[in-house]
Amino acid sequence: METKGMIALITGASRGIGESIAIRLAAMGMQIVITGRDADKLEMLKDHIQKIAPKPHIIVADISAPDTPGRLIGETIQMFGGIDLLVNNAGYAISKSLEETDYHEWDHSMAVNARAPFFICKEAIPYLRESACATIINISSVVGRLGYVHQAAYAASKHALMGFSKVLAKEVQPLGIRVHTIAPGGVATDMVKTMRADIDESQLIQPEEIADIVEFFLRHRGNAMIDNIDVRRANGTPFA
Ligand SMILES: NC(=O)c1ccc[n+]([C@@H]2O[C@H](COP(=O)([O-])OP(=O)(O)OC[C@H]3O[C@@H](n4cnc5c(N)ncnc54)[C@H](OP(=O)(O)O)[C@@H]3O)[C@@H](O)[C@H]2O)c1
């Protein structure tokens, strides 16, 4: 599929997987909106991207705030007049046993990883239905399906993301909107340093490899619909 000129919003674009996806989409000729809380990092990414592609639009926002989903989509429409691709990538994770996890950590995990993507999708649908190549990509995790010790709040929030994504994929299929999830294991970003410091860095998936999958979804819009891609480390334990 031709991707040049598509309009994309990527959450959590200030670093890690989101930054790699943003760079890839810009290189594919898209007009992109990048968002996160760290204004300096977003400005650095904008400087990098505008050397190779159209200037991205920055929105500095905390995705856990209830008014952020409406603001992200509203500003995207105001800036570019539509939206073709939404990548819900921003994520929050803590490594704590269930007994140690407090109310704030539970609520924040759910707000960032499940509630925000849910309502960003809801805000985007009226505009995505006008697009000929409408796509939503939700970045989940291996713990959207499995349970790892000390990841109860994170796993619960990613299971919630997977759950609503399955329903959404069917609800918006008649509107021509495709919904995909990507569920990676350890990727070489800041997050994995706090969650899985035990993994040898040389064995981590690279963020660019997740961007490869995003690109695949967009370039291959045929009759085969891929709901979810599980991505595990090539050198990880075969028992997980
Ligand atoms: N790394 C892994 O091993 C791994 C594995 C499976 C799934 N994932 C998932 O992949 C996605 C990206 O993670 P990553 O590894 O790239 O993590 P990361 O390096 O920690 O980046 C997280 C991103 O989310 C943004 N973010 C976090 N809280 C936010 C908030 N309250 N409001 C707005 N933005 C917020 C951060 O931006 P600011 O700091 O600028 O706010 C940052 O851009 C997440 O959904 C994560 O759960 C990661």
Side-chain angles (χ1 to χ4, degrees), residues 27-197:
M28 290 165 71
M30 295 189 198
Q31 300 271 9
I32 65 169
V33 179
I34 51 176
T35 182
R37 291 166 302 180
D38 190 326
D40 292 343
K41 287 217 172 96
L42 290 169
E43 283 296 338
M44 279 164 58
L45 179 59
K46 178 174 160 183
D47 288 347
H48 173 75
I49 286 175
Q50 66 189 1
K51 288 180 194 139
I52 55 161
K55 189 163 77 171
H57 179 66
I58 290 177
I59 305 175
V60 178
D62 184 336
I63 216 164
S64 67
D67 61 344
T68 296
R71 196 182 139 211
L72 295 183
I73 299 302
E75 265 194 50
T76 301
I77 303 304
Q78 208 176 10
M79 188 70 198
F80 295 120
I83 181 167
D84 302 295
L85 169 64
L86 165 62
V87 184
N88 280 307
N89 164 78
Y92 165 75
I94 39 149
S95 176
K96 280 191 177 179
S97 71
L98 190 145
E99 280 186 293
E100 291 167 332
T101 303
D102 65 26
Y103 272 85
H104 171 75
E105 289 156 343
W106 167 269
D107 282 349
H108 196 64
S109 303
M110 297 305 284
V112 173
N113 299 338
R115 188 182 69 195
F118 183 101
F119 285 101
I120 299 170
C121 289
K122 179 178 168 165
E123 294 285 343
I125 288 168
Y127 303 99
L128 285 170
R129 67 191 300 161
E130 303 300 323
S131 163
C133 48
T135 308
I136 294 171
I137 300 175
N138 290 336
I139 307 298
S140 180
S141 164
V142 63
V143 298
R145 191 168 56 80
L146 302 176
Y148 284 0
V149 291
H150 294 167
Q151 298 193 17
Y154 182 55
S157 66
K158 290 295 189 180
H159 272 70
L161 176 72
M162 292 297 274
F164 91 69
S165 299
K166 287 175 195 167
V167 176
L168 181 65
K170 291 177 181 164
E171 287 186 354
V172 299
Q173 182 176 326
L175 306 178
I177 304 171
R178 298 206 171 189
V179 180
H180 309 281
T181 54
I182 302 174
V187 184
T189 69
D190 293 345
M191 184 179 281
V192 83
K193 287 179 201 150
T194 52
M195 298 301 284
R196 293 293 307 273

